[in-house]
Amino acid sequence: REMVLRVQRRPFGRVLSGFDRADAAEALLGSLLFGIPMFVEGGTGEVGTFLATTPFFFLGTLAFALLTVVGILYVADIQDVRVRNPILGVIPRKLLGVVAVAAVTAAVMMTAWGRVDWAAEPWVATCDVAVAFFPMAIGSALGDILPGS
């Protein structure tokens, strides 16, 4: 049965599982492609400031971002993505990798480009990074699973 599942062709003919250096590089590229506009756009700070005043919407933004990534990876059927050897028996490696790449890239780039001030307003900075993280997570997921990767 395992052999049939490995050989069986799906939408683009590849079965994806796990998360390695190549996946991280693809996720980083997708994350940057979707994220750079967020770094230079002033609206990112405005939305971040709003989220800082409404923690419910901040949590909702993070939850919706995570659900969107799960949808892209496991529901949209763009590629056949399978969960193998999840971390702690529950957390898919690909999901964690894609989300981690987007989150770290958002925090580093927003900080490096002076879009957030961690010393003055750490909560607002966190919310600003969350706003940039949302599209970057989508780009990260797409970059990791699109055909040819």
Side-chain angles (χ1 to χ4, degrees):
R1 181 171 184 237
E2 186 77 21
M3 173 78 90
V4 170
L5 290 175
R6 271 191 236 133
V7 175
Q8 189 177 39
R9 297 279 174 185
R10 294 287 296 213
F12 289 103
R14 293 189 59 203
V15 175
L16 305 176
S17 64
F19 193 80
D20 59 15
R21 283 184 306 189
D23 293 318
E26 293 163 350
L28 177 63
L29 176 62
S31 188
L32 287 172
L33 286 173
F34 278 60
I36 288 176
M38 299 302 291
F39 304 146
V40 298
E41 170 59 40
T44 301
E46 293 173 12
V47 175
T49 301
F50 172 75
L51 290 181
T53 64
T54 54
F56 176 76
F57 290 139
F58 169 77
L59 293 175
T61 298
L62 292 180
F64 190 55
L66 186 60
L67 288 173
T68 302
V69 170
V70 167
I72 291 169
L73 292 176
Y74 302 107
V75 179
D77 210 23
I78 296 169
Q79 288 276 28
D80 185 3
V81 180
R82 302 210 181 143
V83 178
R84 291 202 179 113
N85 303 321
I87 298 169
L88 301 174
V90 196
I91 305 166
R93 293 178 188 280
K94 187 167 286 297
L95 175 62
L96 181 63
V98 162
V99 169
V101 165
V104 169
T105 305
V108 168
M109 293 299 294
M110 293 283 283
T111 302
W113 285 10
R115 301 305 288 174
V116 294
D117 185 0
W118 294 100
E121 298 178 284
W123 175 242
V124 174
T126 301
C127 292
D128 286 346
V129 169
V131 172
F133 164 75
F134 194 129
M136 292 178 76
I138 292 169
S140 184
L142 289 173
D144 182 38
I145 67 168
L146 283 179
S149 59

